[in-house]
Amino acid sequence: MTLEDLRVFVACCRTGNLSAVARELSCTQSAVSQHVRRLERELGVALLERRPRGVAPTEAGRVLLEAVEHGLGHLDQARRRLGELARGEAGTVRVVTGATTVRHFMAAGVQAFRAARPDVSLEFRTENSSRNCVRAVLAGEADLAWITIQGERGGVEQRPVARLPWRLAVARDHPLAGRAAIEPGDLAGLRLIRLPAQSTSGAVLEAWLAAAGVDAAGPASVADWDTAVLLAELGVGAAVVPATPGAYAAHASLRLIPIPALPRLTVGWAARRWSALSPLTREFADTIAAAP
């Protein structure tokens, strides 16, 4: 049997008239009858009974009609959904990020995307390192990962979005708070708040500090840059942090001082294969990249 056989059968039950179905489908009454007979041969039961004014489903026909109407409804819904996905009108975008990424890099982009695509679902998953974000993409648990880009990563394609300068975060009353810029030698002897070793951005910073001869010991270790900045503002220590978009501008008791000698930190997207992403997912990634 075919889907067309089932659709014709449903039409016959609804109208109760083979001629009307033939006119509706722009075919002959004989063709309509052939669809029904093919179903009856395959199922081994009569599905329609003739009456003086048309046809009606038999008991077997009513059983099939109930099942087919339910199934065809789901199939039609699935076809519409697949069409929406193909045209980029609906679907789900799955993103894996660090704990503070949405706040610092995606807020404006998410708002713009939601305004343009209100029927699209956004799923965000949080991981504590770029390595784990990439693993989630490779495992098929996310479509896109926002990561620190540091060299090639096997199995994914990377797309840089921003290159972030570094800042020294200190409280307003810190001895270095009045500086216009910080040199590597200025960091010697500071109590630096650090990120965990598994953090890619933290590892980049550690390597640079080691090359500059700066001791890595510090008063605290934190899971994200926001916490490092907060502790610096509270006077616990100083923190070398990337200058994320719009970050910490309203903190009256905080100073963020440029460190020009430190190479910028590159961040952006990772996906298994960019060309295999859905149109919606690519649109989301582009919207985030283009947002201020």
Side-chain angles (χ1 to χ4, degrees), residues 164-268:
L164 308 176
W166 292 84
R167 301 284 188 263
L168 179 68
V170 293
R172 285 281 181 178
D173 58 357
H174 192 278
L176 295 177
R179 293 287 192 91
I182 297 294
E183 297 298 328
D186 297 326
L187 300 175
L190 290 183
R191 293 166 55 81
L192 291 177
I193 300 163
R194 324 307 289 266
L195 278 189
Q198 70 266 24
S199 163
T200 303
S201 54
V204 171
L205 178 60
E206 295 291 334
W208 180 81
L209 292 175
V214 177
D215 186 2
S221 177
V222 296
D224 59 76
W225 296 120
D226 279 10
T227 305
V229 170
L230 176 59
L231 291 178
E233 185 178 8
L234 294 174
V236 174
V240 178
V241 297
T244 53
Y248 323 119
H251 291 223
S253 56
L254 179 71
R255 279 278 287 138
L256 293 168
I257 310 167
I259 311 176
L262 182 54
R264 293 190 173 211
L265 185 71
T266 302
V267 295

Side-chain angles (χ1 to χ4, degrees), residues 1-81:
M1 73 179 70
T2 67
L3 282 176
E4 190 61 24
D5 293 336
L6 295 172
R7 292 184 190 281
V8 170
F9 168 70
V10 170
C12 291
C13 293
R14 286 175 178 170
T15 64
N17 189 292
L18 300 184
S19 298
V21 173
R23 288 193 299 271
E24 181 182 334
L25 300 179
S26 300
C27 65
T28 65
Q29 184 172 329
S30 174
V32 171
S33 297
Q34 287 176 12
H35 283 292
V36 176
R37 284 197 296 269
R38 183 157 50 229
L39 286 175
E40 291 177 329
R41 284 197 305 270
E42 181 160 340
L43 298 173
V45 293
L47 299 173
L48 294 178
E49 60 179 355
R50 291 190 176 275
R51 292 183 175 178
R53 295 189 176 182
V55 296
T58 63
E59 182 179 357
R62 289 192 293 272
V63 172
L64 179 63
L65 176 62
E66 182 179 355
V68 170
E69 283 185 321
H70 184 75
L72 287 179
H74 282 295
L75 284 172
D76 287 339
Q77 184 180 31
R79 290 181 65 180
R80 287 193 299 272
R81 184 97 167 93

